[in-house]
Amino acid sequence: MHFNFGLVLPIVLVGASASIAAASTESSSTCRALCLENVHNGSSWEMDQHASRDFSFYEVPSNFSSKLSPGSLLTVEPATELLNYSIPSGISMSRIIYTTNDLNGTTLPASAYILWPYAPLATPEQQKQGYPMVAWAHGTSGVLRGCAPSNYRNLQYHFMAPFLLALQGIAVVAPDYAGLGINTLPDGQEIGHPWLTGPAQANDLSNAIIAARKAFPSLLTANGPFVAMGHSQGGGATWSFAEKQAKEPISGYKGAVAIAPPTRTIDHLKDAFGNFTQAWAQLIIAGQPKLISAVTAVFPSYNYTGLTPVSYDRWFNVLKPLDGCLPTDSLAFMNVTTDDLAVPNWYNAPEVQEYAKLSESGRKKFKGPLLIISGEADIVVPHDTVEPAVDDTCSMLTQGHWNESLELVSYSAMDHFPSIQASQMKWLPWIKDRLSGVPVSKSGCVKTSVNGFRTDDTVQSAEPNFLEGWASAEESWKYSL
């Protein structure tokens, strides 16, 4: 019999902070008894999904300085204790804290995890180049401190990507993104998370690769092969990463895979108000508080101007005190009407329009090969927002005579997360070929579609946690983590 005594201390320690959070949420003027009960249930469940309730690893190290260059290594945890993680046998894990830079060029601390396979994938140069790597960019987990996937028991995407890749002999380097995990500077200034800002998350991805190589130089060599990959928010980050490689290349880069990448989020939001009855429109409209927070992270002077009094109260007096991620976020705003979510036409403000330009992924020169995957039934990042971005980029590629490869593969009837699983037979061999030095067949643009078998009889989900099969309809928010 195995007793897990390690769980006792964190649970005891969190009691005081949980009481403080509960007291803080009770100051809300709009979230009444039932609302508070729901968000506290969600928050409690989220805490149970954390590998640790002690966030001491995510404190800013004393050796951090804003004068450090991006990609500097601050802290290395060589072997993470996996007792409270649900990571497959044979895989081990490390965590690092490193420096990244935001869109303003400011140096920030950030965290990342590294998954180590039991044995490395055999490639022609593996003996000299160390472990082949995938730099993994995760999708939306939330926008606050508690939403760092490196502290989730299943690392958020579990067997859909990171576990699968590591079990195939590939090291996985995965940033949490700025503002997640570590959310303050030494002087107490908050680090805002610029949600759905592809170029900012591309910085986090690039700098995590550089720092991970410094942390483990014999395993992740300076010129070892790697592929960037991401989904949803991470898909946009990965596309932006490919664009960054055209200007600031990292040695060993072999290509990128972007699944369900958002491209022009503010334009997508504007279109949603003209298609209000559509499921995709309701999802992006519901995300307005997070977008307003993202604009504020890039332009602090904007200072959440787009929030209404109701959404301001829910954000600062409900969600933030609980350090809530997607499940709690959805519960905190569940009974807020569309009119109370955001100030009408907030997205027309000059700062927001500038943010829209800065945050865009796609329609720029990139370094390939670039594989883009899209589900034709995706209600989170609709296919008809991905394909125009591909078409525009391909027109630029042709007119500019770029010697690059861009391939778009669409999957019939597949929703947001199912598209990752349905396309595995495409992206996994594609990644292995790139890591093994096999070139793509030719440059230019290719668009293909895959028609699935029995798609009416399969399970569809717009949420990541398909393993949470026992959640009742009333607790469907559990699928968000």
Side-chain angles (χ1 to χ4, degrees):
M1 184 177 292
H2 178 74
F3 293 94
N4 188 351
F5 294 105
L7 285 173
V8 176
L9 184 58
I11 289 176
V12 172
L13 289 175
V14 82
S17 59
S19 299
I20 294 170
S24 298
T25 57
E26 289 172 2
S27 66
S28 169
S29 60
T30 67
C31 187
R32 306 300 183 185
L34 181 58
C35 169
L36 287 174
E37 180 181 353
N38 287 335
V39 294
H40 283 294
N41 285 341
S43 176
S44 176
W45 186 82
E46 279 186 22
M47 289 181 185
D48 287 340
Q49 309 314 305
H50 288 151
S52 173
R53 299 186 186 185
D54 175 5
F55 276 76
S56 59
F57 176 81
Y58 301 95
E59 298 296 327
V60 183
S62 59
N63 58 346
F64 170 76
S65 168
S66 60
K67 297 179 181 178
L68 289 170
S69 60
S72 296
L73 183 64
L74 301 175
T75 300
V76 181
E77 183 181 72
T80 303
E81 172 57 63
L82 296 183
L83 194 62
N84 295 331
Y85 286 90
S86 56
I87 291 177
S89 297
I91 295 175
S92 60
M93 177 173 152
S94 303
R95 290 188 295 184
I96 61 172
I97 295 176
Y98 66 101
T99 59
T100 188
N101 56 306
D102 64 15
L103 295 186
N104 300 316
T106 303
T107 297
L108 301 171
S111 53
Y113 70 80
I114 304 168
L115 284 185
W116 301 102
Y118 177 79
L121 174 72
T123 64
E125 299 294 322
Q126 191 271 316
Q127 292 285 343
K128 294 186 293 184
Q129 295 181 334
Y131 281 63
M133 179 211 306
V134 164
W136 166 250
H138 67 84
T140 300
S141 56
V143 300
L144 301 174
R145 182 193 68 153
C147 311
S150 66
N151 193 35
Y152 287 177
R153 292 181 185 274
N154 65 9
L155 303 181
Q156 187 189 13
Y157 273 77
H158 46 79
F159 289 97
M160 282 190 286
F163 293 172
L164 173 66
L165 291 163
L167 289 169
Q168 294 291 316
I170 301 167
V172 179
V173 174
D176 288 323
Y177 304 148
L180 308 183
I182 301 174
N183 72 333
T184 56
L185 293 172
D187 63 1
Q189 180 182 340
E190 183 174 318
I191 301 171
H193 172 60
W195 182 55
L196 296 186
T197 307
Q201 278 88 67
N203 288 348
D204 300 336
L205 194 61
S206 296
N207 293 318
I209 294 167
I210 294 168
R213 284 175 163 176
K214 292 176 181 176
F216 303 96
S218 64
L219 301 175
L220 303 175
T221 60
N223 62 347
F226 76 92
V227 168
M229 178 185 181
H231 171 256
S232 195
Q233 178 180 4
T238 302
W239 196 339
S240 289
F241 180 87
E243 295 164 348
K244 187 177 177 68
Q245 294 312 293
K247 299 178 180 179
E248 304 172 37
I250 298 177
S251 179
Y253 171 69
K254 301 299 181 183
V257 180
I259 305 178
T263 55
R264 290 177 169 171
T265 306
I266 297 300
D267 286 352
H268 184 43
L269 175 63
K270 290 180 180 179
D271 291 342
F273 284 99
N275 297 274
F276 188 76
T277 59
Q278 300 294 314
W280 66 263
Q282 294 170 18
L283 281 173
I284 187 63
I285 288 172
Q288 287 180 99
K290 289 192 289 293
L291 277 175
I292 290 167
S293 173
V295 175
T296 301
V298 177
F299 296 108
S301 61
Y302 182 70
N303 197 26
Y304 300 92
T305 301
L307 294 180
T308 65
V310 173
S311 58
Y312 188 94
D313 174 66
R314 296 298 177 93
W315 188 270
F316 286 99
N317 295 326
V318 180
L319 188 63
K320 288 197 73 172
L322 291 173
D323 213 11
C325 301
L326 275 187
T328 305
D329 184 334
S330 64
L331 293 167
F333 290 92
M334 180 179 288
N335 65 343
V336 177
T337 66
T338 302
D339 290 341
D340 281 332
L341 269 177
V343 174
N345 302 315
W346 67 272
Y347 41 74
N348 290 328
E351 299 97 326
V352 182
Q353 291 302 301
E354 183 62 22
Y355 166 82
K357 296 175 186 176
L358 292 172
S359 64
E360 180 177 355
S361 300
R363 299 179 173 92
K364 304 168 194 169
K365 191 170 184 179
F366 66 92
K367 179 65 179 173
L370 174 59
L371 172 63
I372 296 176
I373 290 169
S374 176
E376 293 180 2
D378 193 324
I379 63 170
V380 180
V381 182
H383 179 68
D384 61 10
T385 67
V386 176
E387 190 168 29
V390 169
D391 290 341
D392 290 348
T393 305
C394 285
S395 294
M396 297 169 69
L397 184 152
T398 302
Q399 294 169 11
H401 303 287
W402 304 343
N403 186 28
E404 298 295 348
S405 166
L406 192 161
E407 181 179 5
L408 170 65
V409 186
S410 58
Y411 288 79
S412 70
M414 287 295 99
D415 205 335
H416 195 54
F417 284 91
S419 63
I420 307 174
Q421 299 152 69
S423 64
Q424 182 186 123
M425 67 182 73
K426 172 67 178 181
W427 56 259
L428 186 55
W430 191 96
I431 288 173
K432 288 184 176 181
D433 280 348
R434 302 296 84 76
L435 294 175
S436 299
V438 179
V440 291
S441 57
K442 61 180 180 178
S443 61
C445 286
V446 177
K447 289 178 18 177
T448 58
S449 60
V450 177
N451 292 316
F453 175 65
R454 288 185 175 175
T455 54
D456 289 339
D457 299 315
T458 190
V459 176
Q460 289 278 10
S461 172
E463 306 290 356
N465 196 358
F466 65 83
L467 297 177
E468 187 74 25
W470 55 84
S472 66
E474 292 76 18
E475 294 184 331
S476 59
W477 42 267
K478 289 183 177 180
Y479 292 112
S480 298
L481 192 62

